[in-house]
Amino acid sequence: MHVPDVSVVVIVYNDAERLPAAVQSVLDQTLHGVEVVIVDDCSKDRSYAVARELEAANPGRVRAFQLPENSGGCGAPRNHGIKQATGTYVMFLDSDDVLDRNACRNMLAAAERTGSDLVSGMCVRVHLDNRWGKTTEWYPWIYSRTRTLESITEYPDLLVYDTLSTNKCYRRAFLLEQGLEFPVGIHYEDLLFSAQAYVAARRITLIPNHVYYWNVVEKASAKSISNRRHEIANFVHRMEIHRRVDELLAAKGHTAIKTAKDAKFLKHDLVLHLRDLPLLGDAYRQEFARLANGYLAGIDPAAYENVTYLQAICAYLLGKEDWKNLLPAADAMTNKGRLSSPLAERDGRVYWCAEHLDDAEGRRILDVTGQGFHTAPLSSLALGNRLTSYEDDGRGTVTLSGTVVNPLGRIQEGAGLKASLEFRARRQIGVRSVSFPVETVRHAGNTIEWTATADIGSTVRPLGIIDAVWDVRLKLTAGSDKLTTRVSVGGVDLESAARLRVRPRLTRLVSDRFEPEVTKKGNLSYVLTAEGPAAVRTQTLLGSAMHGKAAGLVKRSLRRALKARRNIGSGEQKVKVYHEVFSKLPVKKGTVVFESHMGKQYSDSPKAIYEELVRQGAPFEAIWSYAGAKPTGFPEQATLVKRWSWQYLRALAQAEYWVDNQGFPLALTKRPGTTYIQTWHGSALKRMGFHEPRTKAQGKAAQDRFQKAVDRFDHFLIRSEHDVRTLAKGFRLRDEVLLRTGYPRNDALVEAHRTEAHSGERVRGPLAAELGIDPDKRVLLYAPTFRASADGTVEGFEFPFDVEEFADRLGDRFTLLVRTHYLNSVSLPPSVAGRVVDVSRHHDITPLLALADGLITDYSSVMFDYAVLDRPMLFFAYDYEKYSTDIRGTYFDLKEKAPGPVVATADELMQAVSAFDEADAKYAEARQRFLAEFGEYDRGDAARRIVEKFFTRSGK
């Protein structure tokens, strides 16, 4: 008898409708030696009958089994499937999911090539109820390339984050030898089984291929077992599984993995349950705290260093059972960006709350100075707005009261207050919104109190059916600041609230009531429902009609119409119009579209070229792209277009020239009549383009798309032959595309150096006065490279050294300018004001480089630009080993070529700054070598040469 290569165990319970699709995804595998083992967990519907039918229709390929009684989980049916499987390898599939067509083939090939006990591939979550067909890759950074591990200790992230059992292929003999089974009678069985398999495996291979499609319905009426977080038993099971995993890791001595797992528990597992706390009762909270705090006591303190500030705050306050401050923190965590606490300031530091500051750990965790709440414009803060009372007259009028957080009293007593309460349809069709004046709005200590009465019944006129959900917002004006806040329900009970009478425009026969509802993020909204007999009958008839055959044509037509309406402004439709309409229009001679960092800035070489074009009076119309709500810092005389707007697409389609430093949208094809000048944004330390392992690991189609995008470059600016060997080859650019001009943005730096060398004096210029810099102090610019978390999330920048200590030790001699990457953000404590200055909001870094007497960086390409000035540089490479051995790789060893001290600790950094003059003299020759290698073409005339070559009559 032929032994199958792979046995796929498909488990099912009361899912007869979806089971055939899951099984078919196995039968359709490109690997033919695959068997299906269906295990029914004693379903009450036709699941087992369907399984038997599939078995009969596919003899020899499908076998069906049924457990004698329902087990209540996934463990027992999977264990039975392992026993019945005959394949060399085993995989698991849930009846509501499907496998990628090549999953078995790809995983078997990897297993046979490497001899691995376990092969794991990428899972993709498919959001079935998302109208846009949303999909998300499950921890994609883990699967950025093929890799084989001899031990899970080589890559702890795998055990910590990818706890699924279903995106994996196991050698069956390995499972039997190790006695690996899923726990039975407890939920979250995947966590323990996966951990046991990872730890026991003698070799593990990861592949960058999609293997498993996990179908998700966010709005399902019946929640999956793991999503019933309002049931305390659910949390009991989660805690028990975590304890068992911890015991496993402790037994194997995997302390480093335990620390990483603790951090993930704080970031993910605990957070899932904390988000529901504001909506649950006191009894649940008390039992939850008892269970959680028992486990938190064993968390490695180092884990708190690897979580967000809110995750750490919530865990700490939960330990104190401080519900007053914890619930706002949980609300802020659910609603990203919301500031739900009034904060407290002590000794120049800002804290989440005024309590627990006598505890050293409390002060450390509750310190939110770095979040910048005290310096950010008030209008940019999403202030928490908690409902304090809800009353209705039983007909159509409601009276709402609430409190808006007033952080650190920043909304001052003298600021005039006025507000309105807005009801806005979630689907913007027909009437967009209705506003009601707020009768009472006043200062109340660290909050703003408000009360409003809204006659919803006679004023809000929804269309009906289409605009079924309406959200509530408070619009508050405080002096010159305008703030918009969502209204969170908090602890207000809406169970007894009346359904309000409304008059939909489509007739009351469709719906006649507005019912208050709490969104999954805890905010107040209203949903159209039916209550009157006629409306209920109509709803029933509509429901029947919408599922009948006669409605088929109408429904398809409606879907097409709605899709067409949605697509009018979609990216897909805009790309189509760009190519099929705008690109057929004539190219407008004399037009140039400029863009810097995807529209986020007016800066860099595009700015230098534009300003040289203006200086020479070249006969061209300049169009600048901007991103965000409104442009700031862009030239008034230029035409401004918002990125991805219709005006932007038309401008690109008809432009004679494109000039940018990063990349116009990859989906837009450049016309033959358009010349694309790519200035780029820095020489490379890290590998780029096709030199990156992730690009190499992509499929041919993705690589072809990337190649097509870079092939649009007609000219690519370089500043050294290093760029030729790295950037040009990484992008596979032809030599004739390269312009050996240097960077236009560095012309000003070359001129500053020449002027200084000629006169022997440093002229700081107006920027120093604007920043309030003491003329007797030297200026250091700290400009680190871009930072993101392991999953690619961009968060606020965290200082790798104590900025207050820096100011105290060196602030009498130096002013430190801090300039983070434009995608990051930073906030400074009030205590360092005047000694440390945040200049991250300055679009253009060139004037900051010219101002600085010295540069502190890590791996940022700014080092190559600053070399033009021949001034001291310090390299604070505190994570050098991690950075240099990252899977992306570097083109050279920074320690070998750095034109300044490379230090690894904060103390070494401060000692190097103290010895500033010594480093200046010691590394003079190294700076010259560095400039010769990486900036040989920066001669100060790049912008002029480009303008004369392309934009003046003599050049053309």
Side-chain angles (χ1 to χ4, degrees):
M1 179 179 175
H2 176 69
V3 176
D5 292 314
V6 180
S7 295
V8 179
V9 177
V10 182
I11 64 169
V12 61
Y13 176 69
N14 288 351
D15 199 18
E17 184 177 347
R18 291 178 293 189
L19 177 61
V23 172
Q24 194 62 45
S25 76
V26 183
L27 298 175
D28 289 342
Q29 288 292 299
T30 53
L31 178 71
H32 297 300
V34 180
E35 74 163 351
V36 184
V37 178
I38 305 174
V39 182
D40 173 57
D41 196 13
C42 199
S43 296
K44 297 177 181 177
D45 68 351
R46 292 193 69 255
S47 292
Y48 184 55
V50 171
R52 294 293 302 272
E53 292 166 5
L54 290 167
E55 180 182 46
N58 299 277
R61 297 197 67 193
V62 177
R63 293 184 291 134
F65 303 89
Q66 186 179 46
L67 298 186
E69 59 183 22
N70 178 250
S71 69
C74 301
R78 286 181 182 156
N79 291 339
H80 191 74
I82 295 172
K83 293 175 183 176
Q84 298 298 334
T86 61
T88 307
Y89 294 88
V90 176
M91 295 175 62
F92 302 107
L93 173 64
D94 293 345
S95 60
D96 52 347
D97 301 328
V98 294
L99 293 182
D100 181 88
R101 192 163 180 265
N102 298 304
C104 292
R105 185 187 68 183
N106 289 335
M107 299 183 95
L108 177 67
E112 292 185 335
R113 184 178 67 252
T114 63
S116 293
D117 291 328
L118 187 161
V119 176
S120 190
M122 193 182 299
C123 173
V124 179
R125 285 167 60 95
V126 181
H127 301 264
L128 297 180
D129 53 350
N130 181 274
R131 73 179 85 168
W132 315 116
K134 176 184 175 184
T135 62
T136 52
E137 294 178 334
W138 190 251
Y139 299 115
W141 82 86
I142 293 176
Y143 299 97
S144 60
R145 63 180 175 91
T146 299
R147 70 176 91 191
T148 297
L149 312 173
E150 300 299 326
S151 166
I152 188 61
T153 57
E154 295 178 21
Y155 195 45
D157 275 3
L158 183 59
L159 182 147
V160 171
Y161 288 97
D162 187 1
T163 57
L164 300 177
S165 65
T166 48
N167 60 332
K168 296 169 178 61
C169 181
Y170 310 83
R171 190 166 58 86
R172 186 165 65 92
F174 159 69
L175 296 180
L176 298 177
E177 290 164 6
Q178 297 293 329
L180 292 180
E181 290 187 341
F182 290 86
V184 177
I186 188 169
H187 307 325
Y188 305 105
E189 55 278 300
D190 269 23
L191 274 72
L192 182 57
F193 181 83
S194 296
Q196 291 171 332
Y198 286 140
V199 169
R202 285 162 291 218
R203 185 171 293 164
I204 302 168
T205 294
L206 311 181
I207 59 175
N209 309 84
H210 292 169
V211 298
Y212 193 92
Y213 293 100
W214 176 5
N215 292 324
V216 180
V217 180
E218 298 285 353
K219 300 175 183 176
S221 56
K223 292 291 185 183
S224 67
I225 293 171
S226 59
N227 281 330
R228 298 173 193 161
R229 292 187 291 272
H230 61 285
E231 299 175 4
I232 197 65
N234 185 289
F235 191 60
V236 171
H237 285 204
R238 188 185 289 272
M239 291 294 91
E240 177 58 26
I241 287 291
H242 273 282
R243 287 190 182 92
R244 294 187 192 182
V245 175
D246 291 346
E247 290 170 1
L248 170 69
L249 296 176
K252 298 294 182 179
H254 294 327
T255 55
I257 300 179
K258 169 66 165 60
T259 301
K261 177 186 166 295
D262 285 346
K264 195 245 186 175
F265 176 81
L266 296 174
K267 294 169 69 171
H268 175 74
D269 301 81
L270 185 62
V271 165
L272 288 176
H273 292 268
L274 285 172
R275 286 173 172 168
D276 296 325
L277 283 185
L279 305 177
L280 298 170
D282 289 340
Y284 178 97
R285 292 175 191 164
Q286 290 171 7
E287 180 63 10
F288 174 79
R290 185 185 68 80
L291 293 166
N293 289 333
Y295 185 78
L296 287 172
I299 290 282
D300 185 343
Y304 286 89
E305 303 298 327
N306 297 307
V307 300
T308 68
Y309 78 97
L310 273 175
Q311 290 160 355
I313 286 173
C314 284
Y316 176 81
L317 293 174
L318 177 62
K320 299 294 184 182
E321 297 191 36
D322 180 355
W323 304 110
K324 170 190 163 187
N325 292 305
L326 171 58
L327 295 180
D331 178 48
M333 198 160 46
T334 303
N335 295 272
K336 189 174 181 180
R338 178 177 290 178
L339 175 57
S340 55
S341 172
L343 309 178
E345 185 175 347
R346 299 286 189 278
D347 302 322
R349 306 295 297 178
V350 178
Y351 298 93
W352 181 257
C353 57
E355 291 76 18
H356 317 295
L357 300 185
D358 55 345
D359 172 27
E361 184 185 21
R363 286 197 306 276
R364 179 177 62 83
I365 292 176
L366 297 171
D367 190 331
V368 293
T369 309
Q371 304 308 313
F373 297 130
H374 57 296
T375 58
L378 195 59
S379 58
S380 70
L381 299 178
L383 300 182
N385 183 0
R386 185 175 60 87
L387 196 66
T388 54
S389 72
Y390 181 99
E391 298 177 1
D392 61 67
D393 63 359
R395 296 185 296 276
T397 300
V398 294
T399 299
L400 310 179
S401 296
T403 58
V404 178
V405 167
N406 183 10
L408 302 173
R410 292 187 58 187
I411 303 176
Q412 298 179 359
E413 286 282 352
L417 300 177
K418 61 180 181 178
S420 62
L421 197 63
E422 178 188 66
F423 290 72
R424 177 182 289 268
R426 193 170 293 176
R427 287 191 183 180
Q428 299 299 300
I429 300 172
V431 178
R432 294 178 60 86
S433 64
V434 177
S435 294
F436 299 91
V438 172
E439 299 95 347
T440 303
V441 54
R442 64 185 184 84
H443 288 274
N446 56 15
T447 64
I448 303 296
E449 294 182 347
W450 59 271
T451 298
T453 298
D455 184 1
I456 295 174
S458 61
T459 308
V460 178
R461 297 292 307 279
L463 285 173
I465 299 179
I466 298 173
D467 52 350
V469 182
W470 288 61
D471 295 315
V472 182
R473 291 175 171 84
L474 181 80
K475 292 196 166 184
L476 174 66
T477 299
S480 60
D481 292 307
K482 297 184 183 298
L483 313 169
T484 299
T485 67
R486 286 297 305 270
V487 179
S488 65
V489 174
V492 174
D493 183 12
L494 297 182
E495 289 293 326
S496 59
R499 292 180 172 188
L500 307 175
R501 297 176 183 175
V502 289
R503 294 183 298 158
R505 295 173 187 270
L506 290 181
T507 174
R508 288 185 180 178
L509 292 178
V510 174
S511 52
D512 58 359
R513 292 291 187 275
F514 242 173
E515 182 175 7
E517 180 183 79
V518 183
T519 70
K520 65 179 182 179
K521 290 191 174 183
N523 298 315
L524 177 64
S525 65
Y526 284 86
V527 179
L528 277 173
T529 62
E531 185 171 290
V536 172
R537 283 196 301 272
T538 304
Q539 288 274 358
T540 304
L541 290 172
L542 279 173
S544 300
M546 291 300 282
H547 290 89
K549 292 182 179 179
L553 179 62
V554 175
K555 288 167 68 177
R556 286 192 294 273
S557 299
L558 178 60
R559 279 197 295 267
R560 283 196 295 270
L562 289 174
K563 182 178 180 181
R565 184 185 185 280
R566 289 196 302 265
N567 283 347
I568 287 175
S570 70
E572 179 183 354
Q573 186 69 12
K574 285 184 173 180
V575 170
K576 185 176 181 181
V577 171
Y578 171 86
H579 288 108
E580 296 182 4
V581 180
F582 292 157
S583 291
K584 301 295 188 290
L585 300 173
V587 171
K588 294 172 64 176
K589 294 292 183 181
T591 58
V592 191
V593 176
F594 291 92
E595 185 170 286
S596 179
H597 294 301
M598 296 183 290
K600 293 181 174 66
Q601 299 178 352
Y602 171 63
S603 66
D604 212 77
S605 291
K607 173 187 176 184
I609 293 173
Y610 165 76
E611 292 183 349
E612 179 65 17
L613 187 148
V614 172
R615 190 186 68 77
Q616 292 196 28
F620 273 80
E621 177 191 0
I623 301 170
W624 270 92
S625 150
Y626 72 91
K630 58 183 179 180
T632 56
F634 288 84
E636 294 181 1
Q637 61 269 41
T639 300
L640 303 183
V641 293
K642 186 173 183 178
R643 201 170 197 264
W644 274 113
S645 67
W646 293 111
Q647 294 88 343
Y648 173 80
L649 296 174
R650 180 164 181 168
L652 283 176
Q654 293 192 269
E656 184 179 4
Y657 287 94
W658 291 359
V659 179
D660 93 310
N661 66 352
Q662 193 156 341
F664 287 108
L666 301 184
L668 305 182
T669 302
K670 181 185 70 67
R671 299 174 65 177
T674 301
T675 299
Y676 190 165
I677 302 172
Q678 172 57 256
T679 71
W680 204 238
H681 53 274
S683 297
L685 172 59
K686 272 212 163 186
R687 295 187 179 275
M688 302 291 293
F690 287 99
H691 290 163
E692 291 187 51
R694 174 139 191 165
T695 306
K696 293 178 181 178
Q698 290 177 336
K700 185 177 184 301
Q703 290 189 3
D704 288 345
R705 284 194 297 271
F706 182 67
Q707 186 66 64
K708 184 178 179 182
V710 297
D711 282 347
R712 297 178 302 174
F713 303 160
D714 295 298
H715 304 284
F716 187 89
L717 273 55
I718 62 171
R719 55 195 304 262
S720 69
E721 289 304 305
H722 167 77
D723 290 354
V724 178
R725 296 187 299 270
T726 57
L727 289 170
K729 289 192 180 299
F731 293 141
R732 297 178 179 172
L733 301 177
R734 305 180 311 277
D735 191 71
E736 58 267 27
V737 171
L738 307 181
L739 287 181
R740 291 169 167 82
T741 59
Y743 282 170
R745 73 184 185 192
N746 289 342
D747 290 349
L749 300 181
V750 174
E751 180 59 30
H753 177 60
R754 285 175 181 164
T755 301
E756 183 178 332
H758 179 72
S759 66
E761 296 180 4
R762 285 285 312 281
V763 180
R764 285 185 168 176
L767 181 57
E770 178 188 332
L771 297 174
I773 293 174
D774 186 336
D776 295 327
K777 292 183 183 180
R778 292 187 177 182
V779 178
L780 296 177
L781 175 65
Y782 178 44
T785 193
F786 170 66
R787 300 282 173 173
S789 60
D791 61 358
T793 304
V794 179
E795 297 179 348
F797 175 78
E798 293 187 9
F799 278 98
F801 59 90
D802 188 330
V803 69
E804 289 183 292
E805 182 184 359
F806 189 99
D808 291 341
R809 286 176 59 174
L810 301 165
D812 59 334
R813 296 167 52 198
F814 298 93
T815 297
L816 181 67
L817 307 181
V818 178
R819 212 278 191 168
T820 59
H821 187 279
Y822 72 92
L823 290 175
N824 290 132
S825 59
V826 69
S827 183
L828 299 172
S831 58
V832 302
R835 296 175 293 173
V836 184
V837 182
D838 178 17
V839 292
S840 300
R841 296 189 184 186
H842 284 250
H843 275 196
D844 198 355
I845 196 173
T846 302
L848 298 170
L849 295 174
L851 172 62
D853 297 297
L855 173 71
I856 303 172
T857 187
D858 42 18
Y859 321 105
S860 171
S861 65
V862 74
M863 70 176 80
F864 302 110
D865 304 298
Y866 196 74
V868 171
L869 292 164
D870 189 27
R871 297 177 191 165
M873 284 189 266
L874 304 176
F875 296 86
F876 185 30
Y878 57 92
D879 55 353
Y880 182 77
E881 295 305 321
K882 177 182 177 182
Y883 190 90
S884 61
T885 58
D886 181 85
I887 60 171
R888 186 167 162 187
T890 59
Y891 285 116
F892 62 87
D893 188 339
L894 178 63
K895 287 186 175 180
E896 290 181 2
K897 294 181 181 284
V902 179
V903 298
T905 67
D907 192 58
E908 289 175 354
L909 170 66
M910 295 184 197
Q911 289 179 24
V913 172
S914 297
F916 185 79
D917 292 327
E918 294 176 24
D920 188 2
K922 180 179 178 181
Y923 287 89
E925 291 185 11
R927 290 200 299 271
Q928 290 302 312
R929 290 195 301 269
F930 193 80
L931 178 61
E933 181 173 357
F934 299 108
E936 59 188 299
Y937 301 131
D938 276 332
R939 303 187 183 105
D941 59 354
R944 178 181 59 78
R945 290 173 61 188
I946 290 167
V947 169
E948 290 178 353
K949 179 178 178 65
F950 297 106
F951 303 116
T952 63
R953 290 186 177 87
S954 59
K956 294 168 68 72

